[in-house]
């Protein structure tokens, strides 16, 4: 029987004990440094808001599960969840528009949500001054969790199945042998374990350090105040429920409100970020005195109190009677942290988890431990999603504080960080700046999205290539210059900086066998072969799509999707295989377009003809004297190569290509054109278009599966499946009006009913209309009419055959 030790008896640890014991793992010990059941962590003071609407499908599913689970919990006849609903009011026209977008998210993820007018807002929340708002988003299934009571209910249920909870026991060390955890050391003795899971909340950094993990979270204080008696609230709620009115969020002022019988609780994110150092639990813990509660700073709350009285005039007849600054965990991107240590197998973390998502994340971790996979895709919360540069304490501190500042802001999907910037730049960066590159940021990399130097080319475009004007939202972080860059890629030649795309070298005597066992396609090919293939989980879900180039018999360069893939390969590699991240020491320029060969061939003695370097082949070469590896690949659907060299040679390579290309009209092109071109070609983006929740046939990448090659991870799960039997499909849509550009995550309707959601979208400059990819049920076929809901407006679209451009592959293979 697997022995599990969970560190932390708060809402996450108690949920995990419950989920594990429900699945038959009963040798579970939950340790906490504080007394039971009120341990002194964030759970002990949490206001308990559970709101489901989120741009992330994953986080929405976690919140929905929390609602469902907590709705069935009680302690001695008292409920653990009060389903009062949730209201998010709009105080500005911009926020009102954004609530239309959020209503779309809710529809996409299957949550009932309604936009209600001012009269309905005031009817549901009589204390509101209706003149201050434009309306609200109302979610009837949201509500308030009594977190401390839920912990008791969960602990009792887990204990009835064999778990034990031990308080006043501080973990001081981690025991391990042979790279695996064997137990924990505490101030009360040792506890043996095969699996240890840290659910320690804002103490998570210190616990992770015991296993050599850099846990990128920052404890920050968040203000919460309670008013005196509000006459208008008297008699509305019972002592057991504490509330009858919906959760009220006033995000324009970074505020939320909930009842405490005849008093009102007010939470504020409007104040300055206040990093906090975790205090130890020492002595008794009470509801008003615990290490997660810092003294209230009245001066920080004063502006929020004034805004609260404007929205709720009845508060002018009372005052703030008490308050505290409660400590919560924030991360660089605002997401939770789930995963296993790369260095100590069996040591897991589930940190930076709020009450809202606690049951859902606990369920996912239990599924990982017991079954090896979660039913919900976890890449957005995977602790390994960050690059090494993003784990630096300085980076975590600055970005986590910015996450706090922006928590209620209206954020555009492309909105980049303003700081820190220029953490990672390719060797071409200096030239890109000279060309007026407009950089966005991802993974610490500066990535050009378009180049101002190409602005004059817009006037030279054929009329049909000029896209229609975008609305204000879709027009953010966009330029008409993108059309010129797309046209020149389709009709001339363009250079793309592909350096930020992550790549590893996997080598050693066992490298081929290792990769063959993890991937779907046949990799046992000649040196120089390049293969598109998939990594599947045990249920057949797509955990990544990768490109494998066999450069030597035992040396493979693997193009991957990010640090999660590095961690995956590293965790599974045998002793005779080495996995090395080579991204930072190398660079890559994509040379694409019908004139690509005219540019490259004169610079090299190697044969770059179609027969000399065939499609999906690689070879070492010299271009203008620079040693390179050229791969005949094209993610934009045009003739060309990904050309790799070491970072020290990168600038010279760019300059030689640029100089030689002037007579051909070569341009530099950015990620915006790249994204448009790849959608016209039907190329998927992992993490956006497909995840572990989709199998290869549903995602339209079944061509990368070779069942006949022999055993590989996930093979048994997908055997017998096909595109024809897939219950859902990733479909290409074209927008009928030719002008409405959606951005992703919008709901799709078939025959007036919600039927799926958009993944990727862009304007297709070659096909002269917007494109959207969307998950739809399998019965929806090519030619069918659908509608995309965009800010509350239904936009007609048609399911199209893919790819939209060059279905015969003539352009790539010339």
């Amino acid at each position: 029987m697997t022995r599990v030790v969970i560190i932390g008896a708060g809402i996450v640890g108690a949920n995990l004990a419950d989920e594990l014991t429900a699945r038959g793992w009963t040798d579970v010990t939950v340790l906490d440094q504080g007394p039971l059941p009120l341990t002194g962590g964030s759970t002990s003071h949490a206001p308990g808001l559970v709101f489901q609407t989120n741009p992330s499908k994953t986080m929405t599913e976690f919140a929905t599960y929390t609602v469902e689970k907590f709705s069935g919990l009680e302690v001695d006849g008292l409920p653990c969840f009060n389903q009062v609903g949730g209201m998010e009011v709009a105080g500005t026209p911009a926020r009102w528009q954004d609530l239309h977008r959020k209503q779309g998210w809710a529809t996409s993820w299957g949550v009932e949500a309604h936009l209600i007018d001012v009269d309905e807002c005031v009817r549901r929340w009589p204390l509101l001054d209706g003149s201050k708002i434009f309306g609200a988003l109302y979610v009837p299934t949201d509500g308030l969790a009594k977190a401390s009571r839920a912990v008791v209910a969960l602990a009792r249920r887990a204990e009835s199945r064999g778990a034990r909870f031990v308080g006043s026991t501080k973990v001081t060390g981690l025991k391990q042998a042979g790279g695996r955890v064997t137990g924990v050391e505490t101030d009360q003795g040792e506890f043996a374990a095969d699996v240890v899971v840290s659910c320690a909340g804002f103490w998570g950094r210190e616990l992770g350090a015991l296993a050599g993990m850099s846990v990128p979270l920052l404890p920050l204080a968040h203000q919460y105040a309670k008013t005196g008696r509000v006459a208008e609230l008297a008699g509305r709620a019972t002592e057991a429920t504490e509330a009858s009115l919906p959760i009220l969020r006033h995000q324009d002022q970074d505020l939320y409100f909930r009842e405490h019988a005849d008093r009102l609780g007010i939470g504020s994110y409007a104040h300055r970020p206040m990093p906090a150092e975790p205090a130890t639990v020492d002595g008794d813990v009470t509801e008003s005195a615990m290490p997660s509660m810092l003294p209230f700073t009245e001066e920080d709350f004063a502006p929020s109190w004034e805004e609260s009285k404007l929205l709720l005039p009845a508060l002018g007849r009372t005052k703030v009677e008490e308050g505290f600054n409660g400590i919560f965990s924030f991360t660089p991107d605002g997401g939770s942290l789930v995963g296993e240590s790369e260095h100590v197998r069996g040591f897991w973390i589930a940190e930076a988890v709020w009450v809202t998502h606690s049951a859902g994340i606990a369920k996912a971790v239990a599924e990982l431990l017991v079954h090896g996979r979660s039913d919900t895709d976890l890449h957005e919360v995977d602790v390994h999603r960050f690059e090494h540069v993003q784990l630096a304490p300085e980076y975590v501190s600055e970005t986590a504080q910015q996450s706090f500042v922006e928590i209620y802001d209206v954020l555009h999907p492309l909105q980049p960080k303003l700081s820190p910037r220029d953490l990672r730049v390719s060797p071409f960066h200096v030239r890109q700046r000279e060309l007026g590159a407009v950089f966005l940021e991802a993974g610490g990399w500066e990535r050009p999205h378009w180049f101002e130097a190409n602005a004059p080319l817009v006037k030279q475009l054929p009329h049909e290539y000029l896209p229609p004007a975008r609305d204000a939202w879709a027009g953010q972080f966009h330029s008409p210059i993108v059309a010129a860059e797309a046209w020149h890629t389709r009709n001339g030649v363009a250079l793309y900086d592909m350096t930020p795309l992550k790549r590893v070298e996997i080598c050693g005597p066992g490298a081929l066998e290792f990769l063959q066992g993890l991937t779907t396609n046949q990799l046992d090919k000649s040196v120089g072969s390049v293969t598109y293939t998939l990594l599947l989980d045990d249920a057949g879900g797509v955990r990544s799509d990768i490109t494998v180039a066999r450069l030597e018999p035992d040396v493979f360069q693997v193009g991957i999707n990010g640090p999660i893939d590095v961690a995956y390969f590293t965790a599974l590699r045998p002793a005779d295989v080495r996995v090395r991240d080579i991204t930072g020491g190398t660079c890559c320029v994509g040379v694409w377009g019908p004139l690509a060969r005219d540019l490259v061939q004169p610079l090299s003695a190697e044969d770059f003809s179609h027969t000399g370097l065939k499609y999906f082949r690689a070879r070492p070469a010299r271009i203008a004297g620079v040693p390179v590896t050229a791969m005949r690949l094209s993610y934009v659907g045009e003739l060309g190569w990904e050309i790799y060299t070491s970072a020290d040679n990168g600038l010279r390579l760019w300059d030689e290509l640029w100089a030689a290309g002037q007579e051909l009209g070569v341009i530099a092109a950015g990620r915006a054109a790249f994204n448009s071109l790849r959608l016209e070609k039907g190329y998927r983006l992992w993490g956006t278009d497909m995840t572990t929740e989709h199998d290869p046939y549903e995602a339209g990448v079944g061509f990368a599966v070779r069942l006949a090659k022999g055993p590989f991870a996930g093979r048994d799960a997908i055997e017998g499946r096909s595109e024809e039997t897939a219950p859902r499909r990733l479909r290409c849509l074209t927008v009928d009006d030719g002008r409405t550009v959606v951005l992703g995550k919008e709901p799709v309707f078939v025959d007036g009913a919600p039927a799926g959601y958009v993944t990727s979208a862009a304007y297709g400059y070659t096909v002269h209309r917007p494109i959207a990819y969307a998950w739809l049920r399998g019965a929806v076929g090519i030619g069918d009419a659908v509608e995309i809901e965009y800010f509350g407006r239904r936009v007609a679209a048609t399911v199209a055959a893919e790819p939209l451009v060059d279905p015969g592959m003539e352009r790539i293979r010339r």
Side-chain angles (χ1 to χ4, degrees):
M1 181 178 293
T2 303
R3 300 166 299 177
V4 181
V5 167
I6 298 170
I7 306 172
I11 195 67
V12 182
N15 261 301
L16 180 56
D18 178 63
E19 296 287 339
L20 286 172
T21 55
R23 288 165 174 77
W25 280 24
T26 56
D27 192 349
V28 175
T29 302
V30 184
L31 305 176
D32 202 292
Q33 62 180 333
L36 301 177
L38 197 67
T39 63
S42 298
T43 300
S44 305
H45 71 250
L49 280 65
V50 180
F51 49 90
Q52 299 161 85
T53 307
N54 193 291
S56 164
K57 178 177 179 288
T58 292
M59 301 309 284
T60 298
E61 288 182 359
F62 288 157
T64 299
Y65 181 75
T66 299
V67 167
E68 294 170 354
K69 182 174 181 177
F70 285 11
S71 295
L73 292 178
E74 64 174 35
V75 175
D76 302 330
L78 297 175
C80 295
F81 188 73
N82 184 5
Q83 199 159 50
V84 291
M87 267 177 56
E88 186 177 327
V89 298
T92 63
R95 180 70 64 174
W96 181 232
Q97 279 297 102
D98 191 57
L99 292 185
H100 286 75
R101 183 172 65 125
K102 288 187 174 181
Q103 197 270 342
W105 295 339
T107 304
S108 290
W109 317 142
V111 175
E112 180 186 356
H114 309 282
L115 291 164
I116 59 177
D117 61 20
V118 174
D119 290 342
E120 180 73 1
C121 291
V122 174
R123 187 183 73 79
R124 293 189 177 276
W125 244 92
L127 278 66
L128 274 171
D129 180 351
S131 69
K132 296 293 192 296
I133 62 175
F134 291 81
L137 178 70
Y138 174 64
V139 180
T141 53
D142 286 351
L144 294 166
K146 186 69 173 179
S148 57
R149 188 182 296 160
V151 165
V152 173
L154 294 164
R156 287 180 181 178
R157 192 159 69 183
E159 286 173 329
S160 73
R161 303 183 187 121
R164 60 175 176 154
F165 283 66
V166 182
S168 302
T169 302
K170 182 179 177 61
V171 173
T172 57
L174 194 68
K175 295 181 67 64
Q176 53 184 296
R180 287 203 61 87
V181 69
T182 60
V184 297
E185 299 170 343
T186 79
D187 57 3
Q188 304 298 317
E190 296 181 359
F191 291 80
D194 305 300
V195 172
V196 174
V197 187
S198 175
C199 304
F202 57 80
W203 287 284
R205 292 181 306 182
E206 289 69 28
L207 270 299
L210 297 179
M213 289 186 75
S214 295
V215 180
L217 68 78
L218 181 73
L220 285 165
H222 157 59
Q223 290 201 298
Y224 193 76
K226 290 183 181 179
T227 69
R229 182 177 183 275
V230 180
E232 289 83 350
L233 296 178
R236 293 190 62 95
T238 67
E239 184 177 346
T241 62
E242 295 186 350
S244 64
L245 297 174
I247 298 165
L248 179 65
R249 293 199 290 164
H250 184 27
Q251 295 191 307
D252 289 302
Q253 297 299 330
D254 297 312
L255 293 169
Y256 63 83
F257 306 86
R258 59 150 294 178
E259 292 167 275
H260 292 277
D262 61 356
R263 305 167 70 194
L264 204 61
I266 307 172
S268 172
Y269 293 100
H271 54 82
R272 61 191 168 90
M274 294 184 273
E277 286 299 322
T280 58
V281 177
D282 185 16
D284 294 335
V285 172
T286 69
E287 289 189 2
S288 59
M290 58 186 72
S292 59
M293 295 172 66
L294 302 178
F296 191 58
T297 50
E298 295 182 17
E299 65 278 9
D300 289 304
F301 192 73
S304 293
W305 177 239
E306 295 304 314
E307 291 294 342
S308 298
K309 289 187 291 185
L310 290 175
L311 184 69
L312 307 171
L315 297 185
R317 296 185 290 276
T318 186
K319 63 180 180 178
V320 174
E321 285 195 345
E322 61 180 285
F324 62 91
N325 292 356
I327 303 177
F328 291 93
S329 300
F330 284 78
T331 62
D333 60 4
S336 299
L337 304 171
V338 172
E340 186 181 16
S341 166
E342 289 185 73
H343 309 293
V344 184
R345 312 312 301 174
F347 180 85
W348 292 73
I349 70 167
E351 307 289 18
V353 181
W354 292 10
V355 172
T356 301
H357 309 107
S358 58
I361 284 185
K363 173 179 176 285
V365 173
E367 290 170 343
L368 283 171
L369 295 176
V370 177
H371 305 300
R373 74 180 298 274
S374 163
D375 289 340
T376 300
D377 177 70
L378 298 180
H379 82 274
E380 291 178 331
V381 297
D382 194 308
V383 69
H384 301 299
R385 68 187 182 270
F386 298 101
E387 299 283 352
H388 285 300
V389 70
Q390 296 173 304
L391 299 176
E394 299 83 358
Y395 181 92
V396 173
S397 178
E398 180 177 349
T399 54
Q401 290 183 61
Q402 190 61 27
S403 292
F404 178 93
V405 170
E406 294 176 345
I407 191 167
Y408 279 175
D409 289 358
V410 177
L411 299 176
H412 192 276
L414 294 177
Q415 191 159 323
K417 291 181 175 66
L418 296 179
S419 177
R421 293 296 296 267
D422 293 332
L423 294 178
R424 308 176 80 187
V425 298
S426 81
F428 321 134
H429 185 255
V430 63
R431 297 293 182 257
Q432 293 166 347
R433 290 180 65 90
E434 292 169 357
L435 293 170
V438 175
F439 292 98
L440 302 186
E441 178 269 345
W445 284 103
E446 297 296 321
R447 305 175 76 160
H449 272 241
W450 67 85
F451 292 84
E452 290 295 331
N454 295 326
L457 301 177
V458 176
K459 297 178 180 179
Q460 303 171 19
L461 286 176
H463 176 74
E464 65 272 14
Y465 242 87
L466 292 172
R470 296 193 177 196
D471 66 82
W473 182 254
Q476 292 186 56
F477 307 103
H478 174 74
S479 169
I481 294 171
V482 176
E485 295 180 0
W487 188 89
H488 273 265
T489 307
R490 289 275 187 245
N491 296 278
V493 60
L495 305 184
Y496 287 82
D497 184 359
M498 306 300 289
T499 301
L501 300 188
K502 204 161 189 69
R503 49 201 168 271
V504 293
E505 180 184 85
I506 297 180
C507 61
L512 176 61
E513 181 182 4
F514 173 61
L515 287 168
Q516 281 280 75
L518 294 179
T519 61
T520 61
N521 215 333
Q522 177 59 260
L523 303 183
D524 191 5
K525 302 175 182 176
S526 61
V527 171
S529 64
V530 183
T531 307
Y532 175 80
T533 186
L534 310 173
L535 302 174
L536 304 183
D537 65 18
D538 289 341
V542 181
R543 67 180 309 141
S544 192
D545 65 334
I546 63 176
T547 304
V548 181
R550 193 174 194 179
L551 303 183
E552 298 176 26
D554 293 335
V555 178
F556 297 83
Q557 181 173 311
V558 185
I560 59 177
N561 282 296
I564 296 173
D565 290 343
V566 179
Y568 177 68
F569 284 128
T570 301
L572 297 179
R573 68 175 181 83
D576 61 349
V577 172
R578 185 175 69 167
V579 177
R580 185 168 66 98
D581 184 350
I582 61 172
T583 312
T586 58
C587 59
C588 177
V589 57
V591 183
W592 289 313
L595 300 182
R597 186 172 287 118
D598 297 331
L599 171 55
V600 172
Q601 185 62 82
L603 299 177
S604 181
E606 303 293 336
D607 185 358
F608 277 82
S609 69
H610 176 59
T611 54
L613 183 55
K614 295 181 179 179
Y615 190 53
F616 265 83
R617 297 289 298 180
R619 72 184 312 163
R622 290 187 181 274
I623 294 177
V626 177
V628 303
T629 298
M631 298 187 191
R632 180 86 182 273
L633 307 175
S634 177
Y635 205 53
V636 300
E638 293 295 329
L639 169 69
W641 304 269
E642 292 180 1
I643 301 175
Y644 296 88
T645 190
S646 57
D648 59 320
N649 283 310
L651 185 58
R652 179 182 167 203
L653 174 65
W654 179 279
D655 285 346
E656 294 288 352
L657 290 168
W658 186 258
Q662 290 309 297
E663 62 184 25
L664 300 173
V666 70
I667 67 166
R671 295 287 302 182
F674 178 90
N675 191 54
S676 170
L677 297 168
R678 69 103 180 163
L679 285 176
E680 290 184 327
K681 194 60 184 168
Y683 294 146
R684 276 61 169 149
L685 178 63
W686 187 86
T688 300
D689 298 317
M690 57 187 179
T691 68
T692 55
E693 296 180 5
H694 314 107
D695 75 30
Y697 305 107
E698 294 172 327
V701 289
F703 63 86
V705 176
R706 296 289 184 272
L707 293 174
K709 82 168 199 173
F712 57 82
R715 183 187 186 281
D716 292 345
I718 62 171
E719 192 167 16
R721 301 186 195 179
S722 67
E723 291 187 5
E724 290 71 30
T725 60
R728 57 186 174 176
R729 293 288 304 277
L730 183 65
R731 292 292 195 183
C732 177
L733 312 179
T734 56
V735 177
D736 293 353
D737 67 15
R739 64 178 183 275
T740 301
V741 179
V742 302
L743 298 181
K745 303 186 179 181
E746 296 87 359
V748 180
F749 292 75
V750 175
D751 297 329
Y757 59 90
V758 173
T759 58
S760 295
Y763 188 84
Y765 298 98
T766 315
V767 298
H768 316 309
R769 64 180 53 201
I771 306 166
Y773 271 75
W775 281 103
L776 296 169
R777 57 178 180 264
V780 180
I782 295 169
D784 287 350
V786 302
E787 291 178 306
I788 303 171
E789 187 174 281
Y790 181 65
F791 285 91
R793 176 171 62 92
R794 299 284 178 89
V795 179
T798 303
V799 180
E802 57 172 324
L804 296 172
V805 171
D806 192 27
M809 302 287 283
E810 290 89 355
R811 300 177 70 90
I812 289 179
R813 297 180 184 275
R814 53 182 151 195

